[in-house]
Amino acid sequence: MRPFPFTRRCLAQGAALAVILCATGWAQAQSAWPNKPVKIVVPFAPGGTTDILARAVAPELSKAFGQQFVVENRAGAGGNLGADVVAKSAPDGYTILMGTVGTHGINRALYPKLPFDPIKDFAPITLVAAVPNVMIVNADKAKAMNINNVNDFIKAAKSHPGQFNMASSGNGTSIHLAGELFKSQTSIFMAHIPYRGSGPALLDLMGGSMDVMFDNLPSAMPLIKSGKLKALAVTSSQRSAAMPDLPTIEEAAGLKGFEASSWFGLLAPAGTPVDIVNRIQQEVAKSLSTPAIKEKMLGQGAIPSGNTPAQFAALIDSEHKKWALVVKASGAKVD
């Protein structure tokens, strides 16, 4: 009977050793991250602001961590398709999302069912940037119908009911909701045509099959400056420093309290190690504070952030509440 206490003691010691080795291995795995490329999923087509910002951040993270951060576009369902891919990915730091006000602020109020929970299924990393939207119209149509400002547009739309098509980057995006809010406050009708991102929507707006869009300023600005599209106003509560001569919609048309801006930030699947989340946030914040990146983003109409995971989580929570009210007031629906 003497060997029994010894055996029990050995088992206890062995179990303790296994726990130590497991914890050590987990810590080493975390510290070794990343030892292979990291995927940044953009839930929209190339060419839009989500894509532009992801491709601005990716090379900075590649340099900081010594591994490639690769942008992958997974467009569809107003950003929900790509967000769902990330929500269901392994929480190991190798798949992250460039989320938006649509995927994490609007869609839960707009869609009757989502395949993921924007709060429970994600670990916020950092807000990358906030941007105003801009009301833009097809330049040829604006010239033909003598549309020079927002009031001209409202008058033309009311005089020609059913003849204006409104493009968006997808159902549930701030681009869509800005248009729906405008429609509800002006009592005009425009057919909403959702695309799989701003890029293809802008092409059709320039081509003339679309008439108006409330796009994010960074993706629209080059086309505005080149004269390919005509800008009427920004949808933010204040004018943009990037285009200071452009009035707000509230200023231009007297639509009191009109505000529909966008934001973009990185998120990981829930359960991703806190150490990895913090390391990504710190490197993003560092890159956004460099003069070159900061100046480039401000010049495109984006306001860089780089805030903490806790601050970003608080923003997401407040945006859920805000946009639920906007969706209800505007009567917007997934179509």
Side-chain angles (χ1 to χ4, degrees), residues 158-229:
K158 287 185 174 181
S159 300
H160 301 82
Q163 295 185 30
F164 283 78
N165 291 324
M166 180 185 79
S168 84
S169 56
N171 283 310
T173 61
S174 71
I175 294 169
H176 170 205
L177 263 291
E180 293 293 345
L181 191 60
F182 183 80
K183 286 162 62 177
S184 70
Q185 290 196 14
T186 57
S187 300
I188 62 174
F189 172 78
M190 297 184 288
H192 171 225
I193 312 297
Y195 286 76
R196 294 169 67 88
S198 284
L202 288 168
L203 286 175
D204 277 0
L205 184 60
M206 286 188 291
S209 57
M210 293 293 109
D211 304 305
V212 63
M213 186 174 173
F214 294 78
D215 193 34
N216 302 143
L217 187 55
S219 51
M221 189 180 295
L223 302 175
I224 295 169
K225 289 185 174 180
S226 68
K228 294 178 180 177
L229 293 173

Side-chain angles (χ1 to χ4, degrees), residues 12 16 20 28 30 43 85 94 100 135 139 151 154 165 200 216 222 224 243 250 254-255 265 267 275 295 312 321 333:
I20 293 170
Q28 288 176 341
Q30 283 186 250
V85 167
Y94 289 100
T100 71
M135 184 180 181
N151 282 328
I154 294 170
N165 291 324
N216 302 143
I224 295 169
M243 300 192 78
E250 181 174 356
L255 302 182
L267 304 102
D275 175 61
E295 185 177 335
F312 189 26
K321 296 169 183 175
K333 297 178 181 179

Side-chain angles (χ1 to χ4, degrees), residues 133-136 150 214 230-235 246-250 252:
N133 292 338
V134 59
M135 184 180 181
I136 45 179
V150 178
F214 294 78
K230 184 175 181 61
L232 301 182
V234 290
T235 66
L246 204 58
T248 66
I249 285 183
E250 181 174 356

Side-chain angles (χ1 to χ4, degrees), residues 52-61 63-64 98 125-131 264-266 280-300 302-308 312:
I52 291 170
L53 292 176
R55 294 181 189 278
V57 168
E60 299 301 313
L61 291 173
K63 285 188 288 185
M98 181 61 86
I125 299 174
T126 187
L127 175 69
V128 173
V131 304
F264 307 83
L266 293 173
I280 296 174
Q281 183 273 325
Q282 289 161 10
E283 292 301 334
V284 171
K286 191 185 300 182
S287 68
L288 292 178
S289 67
T290 60
I293 298 294
K294 191 173 183 179
E295 185 177 335
K296 181 179 180 181
M297 285 198 174
L298 289 172
Q300 292 176 328
I303 303 169
S305 177
N307 63 4
T308 67
F312 189 26

